[in-house]
Amino acid sequence: MSYYIDQIKEEFYQLEWNRVYDFLEFLISIDNHKVYKESFISALNQVFIDEGAQYKIIDGMVIPLISEEEVKEVIKAIESIYSGVSNHIKKALELFRKRPVADYQNSIKESISSVEALARIILNKPSATLGDAAKQLNLHPAFQKAIKELYGWTSDEGGIRHSENGKELKIDEKEARYMLVQCSALVNYIISKY
């Protein structure tokens, strides 16, 4: 047994930085005992804090660090009773943490798609766009406008959802993080209203 542990340790210390996080995600995924898994995740998150690593484990994935309040919103949206909504948030999170290079543009697409999916479910309009659905949600007009504006930003010609002509988009971690957290919070808010 000691021989195998030494081999794993030797391989582990030779991994590139992004592969270390992939390996940790693998270890998390193979432990099916909830108490041990939660304990392992808690210990890893503490190591990240102690070592100043700017990462946190959310839903079994090593994610660039976001605040505890933001984490709570994202986790609550992932745990939504609506699987389609939850799947969009999970996908946004996966793309946000993609290594070695994150896919911020598609993370934003998935984030806004979670709100659109929820609006379709609540309004029972499977083909509605979020721009149209926002007007029909029973929300304060300012919230409706804010949702429409976010959706508009992601849908503009040459924008995030409909990029064309090889235009280089100025999207980085800040926009993707904002949209992931904001859309998670919107999902949670709308669910609480309905």
mmCIF file of all heavy atoms in Angstrom, residues 56 58 63-78 89 93 96 173-186 188:
data_model
loop_
_atom_site.group_PDB
_atom_site.id
_atom_site.type_symbol
_atom_site.label_atom_id
_atom_site.label_comp_id
_atom_site.label_asym_id
_atom_site.label_seq_id
_atom_site.Cartn_x
_atom_site.Cartn_y
_atom_site.Cartn_z
ATOM 1 N N LYS A 56 -12.116 27.757 -4.169
ATOM 2 C CA LYS A 56 -13.049 27.174 -3.206
ATOM 3 C C LYS A 56 -13.767 26.034 -3.922
ATOM 4 O O LYS A 56 -13.957 26.088 -5.132
ATOM 5 C CB LYS A 56 -14.048 28.232 -2.748
ATOM 6 C CG LYS A 56 -15.016 27.731 -1.709
ATOM 7 C CD LYS A 56 -15.776 28.887 -1.114
ATOM 8 C CE LYS A 56 -16.598 28.470 0.057
ATOM 9 N NZ LYS A 56 -15.839 28.188 1.259
ATOM 10 N N ILE A 58 -17.061 24.146 -4.797
ATOM 11 C CA ILE A 58 -18.510 24.320 -4.862
ATOM 12 C C ILE A 58 -19.054 23.212 -5.754
ATOM 13 O O ILE A 58 -18.590 23.045 -6.880
ATOM 14 C CB ILE A 58 -18.888 25.693 -5.455
ATOM 15 C CG1 ILE A 58 -18.266 26.831 -4.659
ATOM 16 C CG2 ILE A 58 -20.405 25.848 -5.534
ATOM 17 C CD1 ILE A 58 -18.441 28.188 -5.298
ATOM 18 N N ILE A 63 -13.347 26.075 -7.830
ATOM 19 C CA ILE A 63 -13.790 27.303 -8.492
ATOM 20 C C ILE A 63 -12.919 28.472 -8.055
ATOM 21 O O ILE A 63 -12.570 28.561 -6.869
ATOM 22 C CB ILE A 63 -15.264 27.606 -8.101
ATOM 23 C CG1 ILE A 63 -16.169 26.403 -8.367
ATOM 24 C CG2 ILE A 63 -15.779 28.864 -8.768
ATOM 25 C CD1 ILE A 63 -16.303 26.032 -9.810
ATOM 26 N N PRO A 64 -12.599 29.394 -8.988
ATOM 27 C CA PRO A 64 -11.923 30.621 -8.547
ATOM 28 C C PRO A 64 -12.745 31.271 -7.441
ATOM 29 O O PRO A 64 -13.975 31.296 -7.498
ATOM 30 C CB PRO A 64 -11.899 31.497 -9.805
ATOM 31 C CG PRO A 64 -11.958 30.513 -10.935
ATOM 32 C CD PRO A 64 -12.822 29.382 -10.429
ATOM 33 N N LEU A 65 -12.075 31.766 -6.429
ATOM 34 C CA LEU A 65 -12.711 32.231 -5.202
ATOM 35 C C LEU A 65 -13.775 33.290 -5.431
ATOM 36 O O LEU A 65 -13.573 34.268 -6.134
ATOM 37 C CB LEU A 65 -11.646 32.794 -4.255
ATOM 38 C CG LEU A 65 -12.115 33.101 -2.841
ATOM 39 C CD1 LEU A 65 -12.625 31.845 -2.158
ATOM 40 C CD2 LEU A 65 -10.985 33.702 -2.039
ATOM 41 N N ILE A 66 -14.921 33.050 -4.830
ATOM 42 C CA ILE A 66 -15.979 34.043 -4.731
ATOM 43 C C ILE A 66 -16.376 34.093 -3.257
ATOM 44 O O ILE A 66 -16.103 33.170 -2.507
ATOM 45 C CB ILE A 66 -17.175 33.735 -5.657
ATOM 46 C CG1 ILE A 66 -17.790 32.371 -5.389
ATOM 47 C CG2 ILE A 66 -16.766 33.832 -7.114
ATOM 48 C CD1 ILE A 66 -18.992 32.029 -6.264
ATOM 49 N N SER A 67 -17.004 35.170 -2.831
ATOM 50 C CA SER A 67 -17.305 35.351 -1.414
ATOM 51 C C SER A 67 -18.326 34.327 -0.916
ATOM 52 O O SER A 67 -19.053 33.711 -1.706
ATOM 53 C CB SER A 67 -17.834 36.764 -1.176
ATOM 54 O OG SER A 67 -19.168 36.872 -1.634
ATOM 55 N N GLU A 68 -18.405 34.197 0.400
ATOM 56 C CA GLU A 68 -19.350 33.260 1.012
ATOM 57 C C GLU A 68 -20.790 33.579 0.626
ATOM 58 O O GLU A 68 -21.588 32.681 0.375
ATOM 59 C CB GLU A 68 -19.203 33.256 2.533
ATOM 60 C CG GLU A 68 -18.022 32.446 3.030
ATOM 61 C CD GLU A 68 -18.043 30.998 2.582
ATOM 62 O OE1 GLU A 68 -19.092 30.331 2.664
ATOM 63 O OE2 GLU A 68 -16.993 30.520 2.128
ATOM 64 N N GLU A 69 -21.124 34.863 0.570
ATOM 65 C CA GLU A 69 -22.485 35.254 0.204
ATOM 66 C C GLU A 69 -22.789 34.841 -1.235
ATOM 67 O O GLU A 69 -23.885 34.361 -1.542
ATOM 68 C CB GLU A 69 -22.691 36.771 0.368
ATOM 69 C CG GLU A 69 -22.658 37.252 1.803
ATOM 70 C CD GLU A 69 -21.238 37.358 2.386
ATOM 71 O OE1 GLU A 69 -20.266 37.425 1.597
ATOM 72 O OE2 GLU A 69 -21.110 37.357 3.608
ATOM 73 N N GLU A 70 -21.804 35.039 -2.109
ATOM 74 C CA GLU A 70 -21.985 34.655 -3.518
ATOM 75 C C GLU A 70 -22.108 33.143 -3.638
ATOM 76 O O GLU A 70 -22.958 32.642 -4.378
ATOM 77 C CB GLU A 70 -20.809 35.173 -4.347
ATOM 78 C CG GLU A 70 -20.760 36.678 -4.453
ATOM 79 C CD GLU A 70 -19.476 37.216 -5.050
ATOM 80 O OE1 GLU A 70 -18.407 36.587 -4.867
ATOM 81 O OE2 GLU A 70 -19.542 38.270 -5.698
ATOM 82 N N VAL A 71 -21.280 32.423 -2.894
ATOM 83 C CA VAL A 71 -21.329 30.955 -2.904
ATOM 84 C C VAL A 71 -22.721 30.480 -2.497
ATOM 85 O O VAL A 71 -23.291 29.585 -3.125
ATOM 86 C CB VAL A 71 -20.254 30.358 -1.961
ATOM 87 C CG1 VAL A 71 -20.488 28.872 -1.735
ATOM 88 C CG2 VAL A 71 -18.857 30.594 -2.515
ATOM 89 N N LYS A 72 -23.292 31.090 -1.454
ATOM 90 C CA LYS A 72 -24.620 30.690 -0.981
ATOM 91 C C LYS A 72 -25.678 30.856 -2.071
ATOM 92 O O LYS A 72 -26.546 29.993 -2.241
ATOM 93 C CB LYS A 72 -25.007 31.487 0.263
ATOM 94 C CG LYS A 72 -24.234 31.076 1.500
ATOM 95 C CD LYS A 72 -24.570 31.964 2.679
ATOM 96 C CE LYS A 72 -23.692 31.625 3.873
ATOM 97 N NZ LYS A 72 -23.853 32.568 4.974
ATOM 98 N N GLU A 73 -25.611 31.961 -2.807
ATOM 99 C CA GLU A 73 -26.587 32.196 -3.879
ATOM 100 C C GLU A 73 -26.442 31.144 -4.983
ATOM 101 O O GLU A 73 -27.429 30.606 -5.482
ATOM 102 C CB GLU A 73 -26.432 33.600 -4.470
ATOM 103 C CG GLU A 73 -26.913 34.709 -3.584
ATOM 104 C CD GLU A 73 -28.398 34.652 -3.248
ATOM 105 O OE1 GLU A 73 -29.213 34.177 -4.064
ATOM 106 O OE2 GLU A 73 -28.746 35.087 -2.133
ATOM 107 N N VAL A 74 -25.197 30.863 -5.374
ATOM 108 C CA VAL A 74 -24.951 29.889 -6.445
ATOM 109 C C VAL A 74 -25.413 28.503 -6.011
ATOM 110 O O VAL A 74 -26.113 27.808 -6.759
ATOM 111 C CB VAL A 74 -23.466 29.887 -6.873
ATOM 112 C CG1 VAL A 74 -23.180 28.760 -7.849
ATOM 113 C CG2 VAL A 74 -23.080 31.235 -7.476
ATOM 114 N N ILE A 75 -25.059 28.094 -4.806
ATOM 115 C CA ILE A 75 -25.464 26.770 -4.311
ATOM 116 C C ILE A 75 -26.985 26.663 -4.223
ATOM 117 O O ILE A 75 -27.569 25.649 -4.615
ATOM 118 C CB ILE A 75 -24.799 26.461 -2.951
ATOM 119 C CG1 ILE A 75 -23.300 26.217 -3.155
ATOM 120 C CG2 ILE A 75 -25.453 25.260 -2.269
ATOM 121 C CD1 ILE A 75 -22.501 26.083 -1.877
ATOM 122 N N LYS A 76 -27.623 27.703 -3.736
ATOM 123 C CA LYS A 76 -29.097 27.688 -3.638
ATOM 124 C C LYS A 76 -29.722 27.531 -5.026
ATOM 125 O O LYS A 76 -30.692 26.782 -5.193
ATOM 126 C CB LYS A 76 -29.584 28.969 -2.963
ATOM 127 C CG LYS A 76 -31.060 28.970 -2.635
ATOM 128 C CD LYS A 76 -31.440 30.203 -1.841
ATOM 129 C CE LYS A 76 -32.930 30.232 -1.560
ATOM 130 N NZ LYS A 76 -33.334 31.449 -0.858
ATOM 131 N N ALA A 77 -29.170 28.203 -6.028
ATOM 132 C CA ALA A 77 -29.695 28.074 -7.401
ATOM 133 C C ALA A 77 -29.432 26.675 -7.955
ATOM 134 O O ALA A 77 -30.276 26.110 -8.654
ATOM 135 C CB ALA A 77 -29.070 29.138 -8.302
ATOM 136 N N ILE A 78 -28.277 26.113 -7.638
ATOM 137 C CA ILE A 78 -27.966 24.740 -8.088
ATOM 138 C C ILE A 78 -28.945 23.751 -7.477
ATOM 139 O O ILE A 78 -29.336 22.777 -8.117
ATOM 140 C CB ILE A 78 -26.504 24.371 -7.737
ATOM 141 C CG1 ILE A 78 -25.541 25.110 -8.674
ATOM 142 C CG2 ILE A 78 -26.277 22.871 -7.806
ATOM 143 C CD1 ILE A 78 -24.082 24.970 -8.302
ATOM 144 N N ILE A 89 -27.061 26.632 -14.338
ATOM 145 C CA ILE A 89 -26.145 27.208 -13.347
ATOM 146 C C ILE A 89 -24.913 26.313 -13.189
ATOM 147 O O ILE A 89 -23.779 26.808 -13.129
ATOM 148 C CB ILE A 89 -26.845 27.431 -11.984
ATOM 149 C CG1 ILE A 89 -27.934 28.497 -12.102
ATOM 150 C CG2 ILE A 89 -25.833 27.809 -10.905
ATOM 151 C CD1 ILE A 89 -27.433 29.905 -12.376
ATOM 152 N N LEU A 93 -21.081 27.377 -13.998
ATOM 153 C CA LEU A 93 -20.023 27.202 -13.010
ATOM 154 C C LEU A 93 -18.864 26.396 -13.593
ATOM 155 O O LEU A 93 -17.689 26.740 -13.409
ATOM 156 C CB LEU A 93 -20.611 26.508 -11.784
ATOM 157 C CG LEU A 93 -19.855 26.556 -10.473
ATOM 158 C CD1 LEU A 93 -19.579 27.987 -10.040
ATOM 159 C CD2 LEU A 93 -20.645 25.821 -9.395
ATOM 160 N N PHE A 96 -16.995 28.587 -15.972
ATOM 161 C CA PHE A 96 -16.305 29.637 -15.218
ATOM 162 C C PHE A 96 -14.985 29.110 -14.657
ATOM 163 O O PHE A 96 -13.994 29.818 -14.608
ATOM 164 C CB PHE A 96 -17.210 30.126 -14.086
ATOM 165 C CG PHE A 96 -16.626 31.216 -13.240
ATOM 166 C CD1 PHE A 96 -16.525 32.507 -13.723
ATOM 167 C CD2 PHE A 96 -16.192 30.951 -11.951
ATOM 168 C CE1 PHE A 96 -15.994 33.531 -12.942
ATOM 169 C CE2 PHE A 96 -15.672 31.965 -11.159
ATOM 170 C CZ PHE A 96 -15.567 33.248 -11.657
ATOM 171 N N GLU A 173 -13.082 37.476 -16.343
ATOM 172 C CA GLU A 173 -13.570 36.831 -15.132
ATOM 173 C C GLU A 173 -14.579 37.704 -14.389
ATOM 174 O O GLU A 173 -15.550 37.192 -13.831
ATOM 175 C CB GLU A 173 -12.370 36.491 -14.237
ATOM 176 C CG GLU A 173 -12.721 35.726 -12.984
ATOM 177 C CD GLU A 173 -12.970 36.609 -11.772
ATOM 178 O OE1 GLU A 173 -12.546 37.782 -11.784
ATOM 179 O OE2 GLU A 173 -13.606 36.136 -10.819
ATOM 180 N N LYS A 174 -14.387 39.000 -14.398
ATOM 181 C CA LYS A 174 -15.276 39.896 -13.641
ATOM 182 C C LYS A 174 -16.704 39.848 -14.167
ATOM 183 O O LYS A 174 -17.653 39.753 -13.390
ATOM 184 C CB LYS A 174 -14.721 41.327 -13.667
ATOM 185 C CG LYS A 174 -13.433 41.495 -12.861
ATOM 186 C CD LYS A 174 -12.876 42.881 -12.938
ATOM 187 C CE LYS A 174 -12.011 43.197 -14.095
ATOM 188 N NZ LYS A 174 -10.972 42.310 -14.517
ATOM 189 N N GLU A 175 -16.885 39.916 -15.490
ATOM 190 C CA GLU A 175 -18.233 39.861 -16.055
ATOM 191 C C GLU A 175 -18.866 38.489 -15.842
ATOM 192 O O GLU A 175 -20.042 38.384 -15.505
ATOM 193 C CB GLU A 175 -18.219 40.186 -17.555
ATOM 194 C CG GLU A 175 -17.999 41.636 -17.881
ATOM 195 C CD GLU A 175 -16.524 42.011 -18.001
ATOM 196 O OE1 GLU A 175 -15.649 41.124 -17.896
ATOM 197 O OE2 GLU A 175 -16.249 43.206 -18.185
ATOM 198 N N ALA A 176 -18.078 37.431 -16.033
ATOM 199 C CA ALA A 176 -18.616 36.078 -15.875
ATOM 200 C C ALA A 176 -19.018 35.818 -14.422
ATOM 201 O O ALA A 176 -20.069 35.232 -14.150
ATOM 202 C CB ALA A 176 -17.592 35.043 -16.339
ATOM 203 N N ARG A 177 -18.201 36.279 -13.502
ATOM 204 C CA ARG A 177 -18.507 36.115 -12.076
ATOM 205 C C ARG A 177 -19.779 36.900 -11.724
ATOM 206 O O ARG A 177 -20.670 36.395 -11.044
ATOM 207 C CB ARG A 177 -17.338 36.611 -11.246
ATOM 208 C CG ARG A 177 -17.581 36.585 -9.761
ATOM 209 C CD ARG A 177 -16.371 37.114 -9.028
ATOM 210 N NE ARG A 177 -16.663 37.317 -7.631
ATOM 211 C CZ ARG A 177 -15.769 37.648 -6.739
ATOM 212 N NH1 ARG A 177 -14.521 37.824 -7.098
ATOM 213 N NH2 ARG A 177 -16.112 37.820 -5.488
ATOM 214 N N TYR A 178 -19.854 38.129 -12.184
ATOM 215 C CA TYR A 178 -21.035 38.951 -11.920
ATOM 216 C C TYR A 178 -22.294 38.252 -12.426
ATOM 217 O O TYR A 178 -23.295 38.156 -11.704
ATOM 218 C CB TYR A 178 -20.895 40.331 -12.575
ATOM 219 C CG TYR A 178 -22.160 41.141 -12.480
ATOM 220 C CD1 TYR A 178 -22.491 41.811 -11.303
ATOM 221 C CD2 TYR A 178 -23.056 41.205 -13.547
ATOM 222 C CE1 TYR A 178 -23.669 42.533 -11.196
ATOM 223 C CE2 TYR A 178 -24.232 41.929 -13.450
ATOM 224 C CZ TYR A 178 -24.535 42.593 -12.272
ATOM 225 O OH TYR A 178 -25.706 43.290 -12.174
ATOM 226 N N MET A 179 -22.248 37.774 -13.659
ATOM 227 C CA MET A 179 -23.439 37.147 -14.243
ATOM 228 C C MET A 179 -23.792 35.838 -13.539
ATOM 229 O O MET A 179 -24.972 35.551 -13.325
ATOM 230 C CB MET A 179 -23.247 36.925 -15.744
ATOM 231 C CG MET A 179 -23.284 38.214 -16.543
ATOM 232 S SD MET A 179 -24.874 39.086 -16.421
ATOM 233 C CE MET A 179 -25.903 38.006 -17.412
ATOM 234 N N LEU A 180 -22.796 35.051 -13.172
ATOM 235 C CA LEU A 180 -23.059 33.802 -12.456
ATOM 236 C C LEU A 180 -23.772 34.081 -11.139
ATOM 237 O O LEU A 180 -24.804 33.482 -10.829
ATOM 238 C CB LEU A 180 -21.739 33.056 -12.200
ATOM 239 C CG LEU A 180 -21.820 31.799 -11.333
ATOM 240 C CD1 LEU A 180 -22.684 30.733 -12.005
ATOM 241 C CD2 LEU A 180 -20.423 31.267 -11.052
ATOM 242 N N VAL A 181 -23.246 35.030 -10.387
ATOM 243 C CA VAL A 181 -23.828 35.345 -9.079
ATOM 244 C C VAL A 181 -25.166 36.066 -9.241
ATOM 245 O O VAL A 181 -26.151 35.743 -8.566
ATOM 246 C CB VAL A 181 -22.839 36.172 -8.229
ATOM 247 C CG1 VAL A 181 -23.484 36.625 -6.937
ATOM 248 C CG2 VAL A 181 -21.576 35.359 -7.953
ATOM 249 N N GLN A 182 -25.220 37.038 -10.147
ATOM 250 C CA GLN A 182 -26.448 37.815 -10.342
ATOM 251 C C GLN A 182 -27.584 36.925 -10.838
ATOM 252 O O GLN A 182 -28.715 37.028 -10.348
ATOM 253 C CB GLN A 182 -26.201 38.949 -11.340
ATOM 254 C CG GLN A 182 -27.379 39.869 -11.542
ATOM 255 C CD GLN A 182 -27.752 40.626 -10.281
ATOM 256 O OE1 GLN A 182 -26.894 41.054 -9.534
ATOM 257 N NE2 GLN A 182 -29.034 40.786 -10.051
ATOM 258 N N CYS A 183 -27.306 36.078 -11.810
ATOM 259 C CA CYS A 183 -28.357 35.204 -12.344
ATOM 260 C C CYS A 183 -28.788 34.170 -11.303
ATOM 261 O O CYS A 183 -29.972 33.838 -11.209
ATOM 262 C CB CYS A 183 -27.902 34.551 -13.645
ATOM 263 S SG CYS A 183 -27.791 35.736 -15.006
ATOM 264 N N SER A 184 -27.845 33.681 -10.502
ATOM 265 C CA SER A 184 -28.213 32.768 -9.406
ATOM 266 C C SER A 184 -29.141 33.477 -8.431
ATOM 267 O O SER A 184 -30.153 32.922 -8.003
ATOM 268 C CB SER A 184 -26.957 32.280 -8.672
ATOM 269 O OG SER A 184 -26.158 31.481 -9.505
ATOM 270 N N ALA A 185 -28.792 34.717 -8.092
ATOM 271 C CA ALA A 185 -29.622 35.486 -7.166
ATOM 272 C C ALA A 185 -31.000 35.771 -7.772
ATOM 273 O O ALA A 185 -32.018 35.692 -7.066
ATOM 274 C CB ALA A 185 -28.916 36.792 -6.794
ATOM 275 N N LEU A 186 -31.045 36.087 -9.064
ATOM 276 C CA LEU A 186 -32.336 36.325 -9.724
ATOM 277 C C LEU A 186 -33.198 35.063 -9.714
ATOM 278 O O LEU A 186 -34.404 35.133 -9.456
ATOM 279 C CB LEU A 186 -32.127 36.805 -11.168
ATOM 280 C CG LEU A 186 -31.852 38.273 -11.345
ATOM 281 C CD1 LEU A 186 -31.433 38.573 -12.787
ATOM 282 C CD2 LEU A 186 -33.068 39.107 -10.985
ATOM 283 N N ASN A 188 -33.072 32.633 -7.556
ATOM 284 C CA ASN A 188 -33.542 32.429 -6.188
ATOM 285 C C ASN A 188 -34.658 33.407 -5.826
ATOM 286 O O ASN A 188 -35.645 33.043 -5.182
ATOM 287 C CB ASN A 188 -32.371 32.548 -5.198
ATOM 288 C CG ASN A 188 -31.325 31.483 -5.439
ATOM 289 O OD1 ASN A 188 -31.626 30.401 -5.929
ATOM 290 N ND2 ASN A 188 -30.089 31.790 -5.108
#
